[in-house]
Structure formats: C-alpha cells, structure tokens
Amino acid sequence: MISRVAFIINPNSSKGQYEPFLKEINQRIDQPTVLISRTKEDTERFISENWEHIDIFVAAGGDGTISSIAQQLVNSEKILAVYPMGSGNGFARENGFNTNLKKLIEKLQKGNSKKIDTVKINDYFCINVSGVGLDSTVAHNFEKTSRGFFNYIKTTVKTYFQFKSVEVSFSDSHFKNFSGSYMMLNIANTRQFGNNAYIAPQAMIDDGKIDLALVKKFPFWYSPIFACQLFTKKLRGNRYIKYLCTEKIEINASSDLWHIDGDAVSISSPVSIKVSKQSLRILQ
C-alpha cells in the first residue's frame, strides 16, 4: 500500500518519453498523486498545496529537476525520492536510485530515509555538482542541442578547442595559493557529474564539507588519459587537478557562465559557497 507519496514528472526529461513511466505508476499504484510539471512554479505550487498530506515527493527527471524539488523540501522532515530520467543522472546514481519502479515502490513502502548535505552557491541551491569553466560552457552550449550522451561528448570536444581558461582567485588567505588559471572549477557535493564520471571520487554527501576540484587545462592528446581516470575513480593524484575540502569558501571567477547541477546559469562574482549540513532527507 502506497500512501502519502506524490510523483512530480518533468515531461521534457528522457526526450519527452515519460508516458511509459506514468502508465506503469498507474498500473502499480491505486490512484497515485501525480503532477506533470511544466514549470518550476507548477512544482512549487503543487508541493505547497500537498504539504500537509504528502510525506515523500518522488522527482522524476534529471539532476536539475531533482534539485528544484529538493530545494522545496530542504530543512524539513519531508523525504525526497528519485526516478532518474535525465541525461547523466549523477545524483540518482550516487544515492542508489534507478529505473526499476518495482524496487522504488518497495523503498517507498518502507519509508526509510537518511539526511544529506546540500550546498548554497550565492542564491542558488545545489545537491550534486556545480561549477564554472569548460563544463559550464558546455552546459550552456548543450542546452541548444537535442541532448543525449553522444551530443554531450560532441559538444564538449567542440567547446574545448574554443575555450579559454577561467581566472580564479580566493578571498580566504588559506586558499590564496590556489588562485590561478583553470579549465574547470567544480563544486562537488557528490562524487560524479553523471554517467559515472567521477570528478571528485573522494567526496561524501553527508560529511558536512564540499570538495572543490581545480582542473588545469591539459593538451587534447591527454584527454583519453584524463577520461579514463575520470570514469575509473582515479583522478586523485592526476597532475592537472588539485582538490580543496572545506565547509565554506568565497571565490572570484573571470566567467559568469556557471552550471548548477548541470543547468546553465549566470552568476556574477564574488561567489559565496557554503554547505548546509544534514539539511535534506532522501529515501534510503
């Protein structure tokens, strides 16, 4: 028996092919509470209207969709669950969510949860990985494509040859020595971008800290080596990358093109980054 559970579906995820998921929900659950969300305002209104009689909100979409729903549940006893329908599904992969609806329903019936950290980046809310540099420029360019993993790779390669490093400086005296030119600066709450690409293999989602990955630009011929280490969790020790671990930090970047959990945004410096410890409950 499933009760006090609501499903919020982004119809643009999974290339708009959400109908099979919706059909399966209706087959497995009697009169499910479902929203096909067209806008963030739809989601916010739905959560507000159902706050008193829903305990678990299931986000069906990519990391951006999950993040927008999680933001409404933060610092409450409400529980976030995930049915991954995005391109990379980094947050879902890191937290044991997959497309097996039967297993998800079993978890929903048990209702077990755990607390994880979230991150504030100026006024933006982050649950997975955000950053500035090559990957954020790719995110902005990727939004102009039909999406998908291979389009992402194609966009990344094309962007690489046009990209100029970002100048980054740190306000805190403890980190001033790390100021310099970087291809990417990534803020990692979890270990991966998505598609099992582990930019910060040592990151933990509940340790009260963020891991900053500072990546120097490397020659194109080195890309296969970097990619191999990225997908095999072996980037620590790579000569082109440095890691910082902290609870909060302020930076200045020469680019305003950022991504928050994969969604392209514009953020002007200075940029304040801070962990909100144990601030979100997720289904376990």
Side-chain angles (χ1 to χ4, degrees):
M1 178 69 178
I2 294 290
S3 62
R4 301 184 68 85
V5 173
F7 295 82
I8 302 174
I9 302 172
N10 179 352
N12 298 315
S13 295
S14 196
K15 296 184 178 180
Q17 302 300 310
Y18 68 92
E19 290 90 349
F21 171 61
L22 183 58
K23 182 179 179 180
E24 191 176 359
I25 290 175
N26 283 288
Q27 289 173 341
R28 292 184 177 274
I29 302 173
D30 183 39
Q31 296 182 322
T33 302
V34 178
L35 170 70
I36 308 300
S37 178
R38 303 291 175 181
T39 66
K40 287 185 178 181
E41 289 74 22
D42 282 350
T43 297
E44 291 171 7
R45 183 168 53 252
F46 177 81
I47 292 174
S48 177
E49 291 174 352
N50 289 277
W51 190 260
E52 295 303 322
H53 59 272
I54 296 295
D55 294 328
I56 305 174
F57 291 88
V58 182
D63 285 343
T65 298
I66 297 164
S67 183
S68 67
I69 294 170
Q71 188 171 6
Q72 305 305 311
L73 311 183
V74 74
N75 296 319
S76 78
E77 292 303 304
K78 302 301 180 183
I79 300 171
L80 172 73
V82 175
Y83 184 87
M85 295 174 62
S87 300
N89 300 314
F91 182 83
R93 291 173 189 269
E94 286 293 276
N95 291 285
F97 294 108
N98 55 43
T99 55
N100 187 325
L101 183 56
K102 181 180 177 181
K103 287 188 177 181
L104 176 59
I105 289 174
E106 289 173 358
K107 287 184 177 182
L108 291 171
Q109 289 172 330
K110 293 177 182 176
N112 296 330
S113 66
K114 65 177 181 179
K115 287 187 175 182
I116 64 168
D117 302 331
T118 59
V119 181
K120 286 299 294 290
I121 303 173
N122 279 4
D123 294 327
Y124 289 93
F125 175 85
C126 163
I127 56 170
N128 197 54
V129 176
S130 301
V132 62
L134 178 66
D135 56 329
S136 61
T137 306
V138 169
H140 282 259
N141 293 337
F142 185 54
E143 287 196 343
K144 303 171 188 175
T145 73
S146 57
R147 305 182 77 85
F149 179 68
F150 291 105
N151 270 335
Y152 186 82
I153 297 299
K154 182 180 177 181
T155 303
T156 300
V157 172
K158 183 178 180 181
T159 304
Y160 173 89
F161 287 106
Q162 301 169 343
F163 181 77
K164 293 183 180 180
S165 292
V166 176
E167 296 299 321
V168 175
S169 62
F170 296 92
S171 302
D172 194 311
S173 59
H174 291 95
F175 302 116
K176 281 190 177 293
N177 289 341
F178 292 93
S179 298
S181 298
Y182 292 99
M183 183 171 73
M184 296 188 297
L185 181 151
N186 297 116
I187 301 154
N189 191 39
T190 74
R191 300 176 298 170
Q192 64 167 294
F193 291 123
N195 291 308
N196 295 321
Y198 295 90
I199 188 63
Q202 74 285 356
M204 298 175 65
I205 201 167
D206 57 0
D207 64 349
K209 295 180 180 179
I210 46 170
D211 288 78
L212 268 69
L214 306 169
V215 184
K216 289 282 189 181
K217 191 167 186 179
F218 45 77
F220 188 72
W221 63 263
Y222 191 79
S223 297
I225 299 172
F226 190 90
C228 181
Q229 293 179 344
L230 179 69
F231 285 99
T232 56
K233 308 178 190 176
K234 294 180 179 178
L235 274 181
R236 293 200 76 178
N238 183 289
R239 56 180 166 156
Y240 291 103
I241 191 166
K242 299 174 183 176
Y243 290 105
L244 303 178
C245 188
T246 183
E247 295 180 9
K248 61 181 180 178
I249 197 167
E250 184 176 280
I251 69 170
N252 288 277
S254 60
S255 173
D256 291 345
L257 298 181
W258 285 70
H259 76 87
I260 302 293
D261 293 326
D263 284 351
V265 300
S266 178
I267 304 178
S268 298
S269 292
V271 181
S272 176
I273 304 159
K274 184 179 181 180
V275 174
S276 297
K277 300 178 183 179
Q278 307 281 296
S279 55
L280 177 68
R281 284 193 177 276
I282 64 169
L283 192 69
Q284 197 169 16

